[in-house]
Amino acid sequence: MYESEQSWRDVDRYVIEELVAEDDALSAARETSRAAGLPDHEVAPNQAKLLALICQMTGARRVLEFGTLGGYSTIWFARAVGATGHVTTLEVDEQYAEVARANFERAGVADRINLVLGSATETVEALIAAGEEPYDVVFIDADKPNNPAYLGAALRLSKSGTVIIGDNIVRNGAVTDPHSDDPRVHGSRALIEAMGSDPRLNATALQTVGVKGWDGFALAVVT
Ligand code: SAH
Ligand code: DHB
Ligand code: MG
């Protein structure tokens, strides 16, 4: 599609090779997801490492994730928070959750992950009702039309300094089209606009290219 797309992929492969050590448990998480027929929607290794570095840079101990899939990003978060840290990850699909649980076991991080099965719009409300402690980092990466609901819930589970990251906010550039017929695009736009208009948040967004095509992250900190 884009003349440079092959180069983008080559650069990703190069930086992943040089900077992102992926051990057997991480490659197995990707491979078992493909073998089980899960969509190719996990973050790229170098993107996952950025998420892990954000956790390390902020000293994060508690991470909340919307959208587990096969648990690839979840394993990166679980490692980043360390043995005394905790990751809560929300997934609606029972089969995906099963794949993810096996991947957590293989990676040796199952004891620090709570995978909550169910629609995240409901399960996150249950976390709030249960009086869950605030999270340090929140990754919003589930069904895009619910992004505004997830951001609202994330804010109720946040404190000053909490970092909120949203995935897939560019969608091959479609994000700039207010007349898109793709509800996911409207979800991405709603996340960006909510981050921009909420006085509690200080936000930006970045485009990314590479092995996952042309996409991006929105990133905010709770003031
Ligand atoms: N964070 C993962 C990728 C997640 S893909 C990674 O980077 O490795 C998006 C996931 O959100 C899919 O597994 C999908 O089943 C899940 N999802 C979709 N709708 C959902 C909902 N309403 N509640 C919870 N999870 C949902
Ligand atoms: C889609 C969702 C994702 O979380 C992702 O990383 C890529 C694509 C999707 O719904 O199309
Ligand atoms: Mg995603």
Side-chain angles (χ1 to χ4, degrees):
M1 184 176 185
Y2 305 97
E3 211 178 324
S4 48
E5 191 162 339
Q6 188 55 49
S7 322
W8 296 345
R9 288 173 190 273
D10 289 345
V11 170
D12 252 13
R13 290 194 188 98
Y14 170 69
V15 300
I16 290 164
E17 171 80 21
E18 294 297 325
L19 300 173
V20 187
E22 206 184 44
D23 65 4
D24 290 347
L26 285 168
S27 43
R30 286 194 289 101
E31 285 156 16
T32 57
S33 297
R34 284 307 81 70
L38 275 54
D40 190 10
H41 287 172
E42 69 276 353
V43 289
N46 51 336
Q47 295 175 328
K49 181 122 183 223
L50 173 67
L51 299 174
L53 287 174
I54 289 169
C55 291
Q56 276 190 274
M57 288 166 175
T58 58
R61 313 300 304 157
R62 290 171 53 76
V63 173
L64 173 63
E65 175 176 72
F66 293 82
T68 315
L69 195 66
Y72 183 78
S73 54
T74 323
I75 293 170
W76 276 94
F77 281 126
R79 289 179 170 175
V81 298
T84 59
H86 181 81
V87 181
T88 303
T89 185
L90 311 179
E91 175 56 52
V92 73
D93 188 295
E94 213 168 323
Q95 189 219 344
Y96 297 0
E98 220 169 281
V99 172
R101 284 201 186 94
N103 286 326
F104 301 158
E105 292 289 343
R106 189 185 296 103
V109 291
D111 57 329
R112 56 183 102 147
I113 297 170
N114 180 24
L115 193 166
V116 185
L117 191 60
S119 184
T121 51
E122 291 160 26
T123 54
V124 77
E125 288 301 326
L127 293 179
I128 294 166
E132 196 70 22
E133 294 293 306
Y135 290 89
D136 304 307
V137 169
V138 180
F139 185 44
I140 301 177
D141 190 24
D143 50 324
K144 311 313 173 191
N146 276 321
N147 275 345
Y150 297 152
L151 180 65
L155 279 162
R156 291 161 69 197
L157 290 164
S158 293
K159 56 179 170 49
S160 175
T162 296
V163 173
I164 303 176
I165 305 158
D167 195 22
N168 312 114
I169 54 97
V170 172
R171 310 207 74 98
N172 286 306
V175 67
T176 56
D177 179 9
H179 309 298
S180 171
D181 55 13
D182 184 343
R184 296 170 303 183
V185 169
H186 293 283
S188 300
R189 291 174 60 84
L191 183 69
I192 291 168
E193 289 161 28
M195 282 182 168
S197 60
D198 194 309
R200 294 167 291 182
L201 292 172
N202 194 7
T204 189
L206 286 177
Q207 308 183 58
T208 57
V209 294
V211 294
K212 294 284 165 175
W214 179 22
D215 217 327
F217 292 111
L219 180 82
V221 65
V222 178
T223 55

